[in-house]
Amino acid sequence: EIVMTQSPATLSVSPGERATLSCRASQSVSSNLAWYQQKPGQAPRLLIYGASTRATGIPARFSGSGSGTEFTLTISSLQSEDFAVYYCQQYNNWPLTFGPGTKVDIK
Amino acid sequence: EVQLVESGGGLVQPGGSLRLSCAASGFTFSSYEMNWVRQAPGKGLEWVSYISSSGSTIYYADSVKGRFTISRDNAKNSLYLQMNSLRAEDTAVYYCARDAVVPAAGFDYWGQGTLVTVSS
């Protein structure tokens, strides 16, 4: 099983600042990585797939990069609606696995 | 509009069974691969099971293999999860999630979830 790790566990950011979230896979997942955003009481929302492609309707302030085992989600200028938990997921190998999440909260 | 609506959750005793359903609308259900993902209270996401569009290919997480069965009825636009021998650690919100139409592109639509509580 591919183990996904995310850092930091919590990221405190002021509105308008840049946030950089990291995700690491225990072995290569190529570019088969997605990022999701989840707000309290809501289902996850797909942000990024293929490591760097924004899903439909996702603002350009969200960007993804990386391949192999190291990935990054960047939110260029945090808006109030961006404070949430972010999960990475690999879909290169079965079983599919998620990272433990990074909570982005208000500084 | 794509909609996924889960139902069937509730309180069940350890060792009991429950069948979850996911009603799909707003898209051609028979063309899409589907998944179940769960989230224990206050915890992260855990993928549970996958089924191909025709139902011919199925995968499970080790944590549920042999106890849970995923199935679908394309004529009824419905996805199911039969859960047997339930344990306390199966307590979670269960989401159905659609594989994106683009191959290898994550889960693009999720239901609102249904809560399963396993407790005596």
Side-chain angles (χ1 to χ4, degrees):
Chain A
E1 171 176 320
I2 295 177
V3 177
M4 307 300 292
T5 56
Q6 291 185 243
S7 61
T10 303
L11 185 61
S12 296
V13 185
S14 298
E17 287 188 342
R18 181 186 192 93
T20 303
L21 289 66
S22 295
C23 173
R24 175 176 292 180
S26 60
Q27 64 188 76
S28 178
V29 298
S30 186
S31 294
N32 294 314
L33 183 110
W35 289 94
Y36 299 87
Q37 176 194 69
Q38 188 180 33
K39 298 178 182 179
Q42 296 185 15
R45 176 174 72 143
L46 177 66
L47 297 176
I48 301 284
Y49 63 89
S52 61
T53 303
R54 276 190 303 276
T56 303
I58 301 304
R61 65 181 180 272
F62 290 92
S63 63
S65 64
S67 66
T69 62
E70 302 281 344
F71 301 89
T72 300
L73 174 70
T74 302
I75 312 171
S76 59
S77 176
L78 268 156
Q79 306 299 302
S80 57
E81 61 266 30
D82 300 335
F83 293 97
V85 179
Y86 293 83
Y87 295 95
C88 60
Q89 177 210 24
Q90 68 82 19
Y91 46 89
N92 194 64
N93 290 76
W94 301 100
L96 307 185
T97 47
F98 289 90
T102 290
K103 182 179 182 181
V104 177
D105 65 15
I106 300 175
K107 187 173 183 180
Chain B
E1 178 192 5
V2 172
Q3 283 200 315
L4 297 170
V5 179
E6 301 94 339
S7 60
L11 176 63
V12 60
Q13 292 188 337
S17 298
L18 214 52
R19 188 195 197 206
L20 305 184
S21 299
C22 172
S25 60
F27 65 102
T28 305
F29 179 71
S30 59
S31 297
Y32 286 82
E33 302 159 14
M34 298 294 296
N35 300 267
W36 288 99
V37 177
R38 68 184 180 183
Q39 187 169 35
K43 302 298 184 182
L45 301 170
E46 180 188 14
W47 170 80
V48 172
S49 185
Y50 158 93
I51 186 167
S52 63
S53 56
S54 66
S56 60
T57 301
I58 285 172
Y59 297 105
Y60 297 101
D62 285 347
S63 58
V64 306
K65 201 173 295 182
R67 301 187 299 122
F68 290 12
T69 302
I70 191 171
S71 63
R72 65 190 297 161
D73 186 335
N74 287 340
K76 294 184 177 179
N77 293 334
S78 293
L79 175 72
Y80 306 102
L81 187 67
Q82 177 66 44
M83 304 186 296
N84 298 331
S85 303
L86 283 160
R87 307 166 179 167
E89 55 264 35
D90 296 318
T91 294
V93 173
Y94 285 74
Y95 297 100
C96 62
R98 189 185 85 166
D99 261 33
V101 61
V102 176
F107 302 160
D108 63 351
Y109 283 93
W110 298 62
Q112 85 289 349
T114 187
L115 176 63
V116 172
T117 303
V118 184
S119 175
S120 54

